Amino acid sequence: MAMESNSNPNSVEEESRNWLELPADVTSTILQKLGPIDILINAQDVCSSWRKICEDPLMWRVIDMRYSGDWWDMDYDLEEMCRQAVERSCGQLIYINIERFGTDDLLHYISHSSNQLSRLRLVYCNRISDEGLIEAVSKLPLLEDLELSFCSFDMETLETLGQSCPGLKSLKLNRQFYRRVECDIAALAIAENMPNLRHLQIFGNSLTNRGLEAILDGCPDLESLDLRQCFNLNLAGQLGTKCSGKIKDLRLPHDPTDDYEFSTEIIDYDDDYGYPFGLSDTDLLTDDDDYYEFSGGSDFSDYTDLYFY
C-alpha cells in the first residue's frame, strides 16, 4: 500500500511566494511601517518596483525621523536624509518629527517646502533658535498640532507662536520637574495667546494654581489636559473641582506615568544640574519683583532672557 504524502500543496505555494509581487498598495503599507530612515537606507534599493513605490509622494506625507539607535555609531547624515524625504513629499507633507537633530536651516527648508504641514514635533531640538522657529511657523498656516518638549525658547517666542497660529489645537510642552521652582510664565503665555487649544500636555511644568486657573479661563475649548508631575499644583479645593468639571480627559500630577516616553526623574534645584532647563533667574521673579530663595542664587544682571518653562 502506498504511503500517503503529508505535504500540503498550499504550504509549498506559501514557501515559494514572491513577496515582490504583492500589490503596490499592500507593499506601500508594509514599507511605511519601516519608517523613512530604513526606506532611504535599505528598502528603496531592493528592486525597481520598490523604488518606484518609495518615490511616490503619498509615501512621505508623514515623516517620523526619530532615531532609536546609538547616535555615536551613526554613519549617515539625518538632516540630509530628512531633506530628501521632504523633497519626495512634493508639498504634501502633513506631519514631521525631527527629534534631537533639528536645526534652523532644516526647519526653514521644511516650512518653505510644506505649506500643508499641520503637525510638527520638536524634541530636544536645541539647535533651533527662537528666530528660526518663529520664521518657520509663520510659513505654516495650517499648523494645528505642535510639540516643543525639552526645548529652550523664550517666553516671547511662545506668545508669538500662539498669535501666528490661531488654528493651533494641540500643544505639548513637556520637561522634567524641578523641586523648589515655581513659574507661571508658560501657563500665562498659553492662556493669553492660544484660546483655541483643545489638547494640552505640560508634563513636569512648574506652574502654580494661578497659572492653571489662567489656562482654564483662557482656553475655553480645552478637552484634554495632562498635568502629570506638575507638583506645585494643589487641586484639593475649588480648582480641582473646576478642572474635573471642565476637562473630559484629565491627567493629575500624581497619575501613573507608565505610558510616558521620556524620563520621569525629578530634579532637585540644589543638585549640580544648574538652572532648570529653559529657566533663568529672571523666571523666578514674582509680580512684586521679589525672588524665590534658593541656595547659591546668582546676580540677576547676568541673565536677560525670559524662558517659558
Side-chain angles (χ1 to χ4, degrees):
M1 181 175 180
M3 184 180 297
E4 286 188 14
S5 173
N6 291 326
S7 62
N8 186 339
N10 291 332
S11 65
V12 174
E13 182 181 347
E14 291 268 352
E15 293 176 3
S16 62
R17 177 180 294 164
N18 185 351
W19 294 99
L20 298 181
E21 295 178 354
L22 286 172
D25 58 336
V26 176
T27 302
S28 174
T29 300
I30 294 172
L31 292 176
Q32 284 178 324
K33 294 182 182 298
L34 293 177
I37 296 176
D38 281 336
I39 290 175
L40 292 171
I41 294 175
N42 300 310
Q44 68 174 3
D45 296 325
V46 169
C47 64
S48 59
S49 62
W50 279 25
R51 185 168 190 86
K52 182 178 180 181
I53 292 172
C54 292
E55 290 175 347
D56 184 349
L58 293 179
M59 284 282 293
W60 304 95
R61 298 188 74 217
V62 173
I63 300 175
D64 189 340
M65 294 290 295
R66 79 183 78 191
Y67 179 67
S68 58
D70 296 328
W71 287 80
W72 50 87
D73 288 337
M74 185 172 55
D75 56 0
Y76 40 84
D77 187 340
L78 279 183
E79 183 170 348
E80 178 55 34
M81 291 175 65
C82 186
R83 288 173 183 266
Q84 294 178 29
V86 172
E87 182 180 7
R88 290 192 180 187
S89 73
C90 297
Q92 299 188 50
L93 181 65
I94 59 173
Y95 167 77
I96 192 164
N97 175 14
I98 50 175
E99 183 174 328
R100 296 182 184 271
F101 69 93
T103 64
D104 279 352
D105 287 343
L106 178 58
L107 193 57
H108 175 84
Y109 179 80
I110 292 169
S111 64
H112 280 73
S113 307
S114 314
N115 59 10
Q116 295 187 42
L117 192 71
S118 61
R119 299 177 61 200
L120 174 63
R121 189 172 197 249
L122 305 179
V123 180
Y124 291 111
C125 288
N126 297 315
R127 291 187 294 166
I128 295 179
S129 68
D130 296 273
E131 295 79 12
L133 179 61
I134 290 173
E135 180 186 357
V137 168
S138 68
K139 303 291 192 302
L140 302 173
L142 302 182
L143 191 65
E144 294 184 351
D145 187 327
L146 176 64
E147 178 167 0
L148 300 174
S149 294
F150 301 94
C151 298
S152 184
F153 300 110
D154 66 35
M155 178 189 65
E156 293 180 354
T157 296
L158 187 60
E159 294 173 345
T160 303
L161 292 178
Q163 296 163 8
S164 301
C165 303
L168 194 65
K169 293 181 175 63
S170 177
L171 176 68
K172 291 185 178 180
L173 199 66
N174 302 323
R175 52 161 291 174
Q176 289 174 269
F177 182 76
Y178 274 72
R179 291 190 179 94
R180 291 185 289 280
V181 173
E182 295 183 357
C183 183
D184 286 315
I185 289 179
L188 296 178
I190 292 169
E192 295 169 3
N193 298 279
M194 302 180 183
N196 296 316
L197 275 186
R198 294 178 183 170
H199 310 283
L200 176 62
Q201 183 180 66
I202 46 175
F203 192 107
N205 198 278
S206 299
L207 83 166
T208 68
N209 282 24
R210 172 175 173 252
L212 178 56
E213 185 88 47
I215 289 174
L216 294 177
D217 292 340
C219 305
D221 297 326
L222 207 58
E223 298 174 5
S224 68
L225 178 60
D226 190 343
L227 300 171
R228 284 178 294 173
Q229 292 202 354
C230 296
F231 294 128
N232 291 332
L233 296 173
N234 181 357
L235 302 179
Q238 292 183 350
L239 184 57
T241 302
K242 183 176 181 178
C243 278
S244 59
K246 176 182 174 63
I247 308 299
K248 296 178 182 177
D249 181 9
L250 178 64
R251 310 292 293 273
L252 299 173
H254 292 278
D255 280 355
T257 59
D258 298 347
D259 62 342
Y260 186 66
E261 63 180 299
F262 302 115
S263 172
T264 58
E265 178 187 8
I266 298 173
I267 307 300
D268 196 308
Y269 185 84
D270 292 331
D271 287 346
D272 294 332
Y273 289 89
Y275 284 98
F277 191 72
L279 280 174
S280 69
D281 269 333
T282 329
D283 288 313
L284 308 179
L285 290 171
T286 68
D287 293 336
D288 299 322
D289 291 335
D290 295 325
Y291 64 97
Y292 298 98
E293 297 292 333
F294 299 113
S295 59
S298 58
D299 188 338
F300 292 134
S301 62
D302 294 335
Y303 300 88
T304 57
D305 290 334
L306 287 173
Y307 293 98
F308 63 62
Y309 71 125

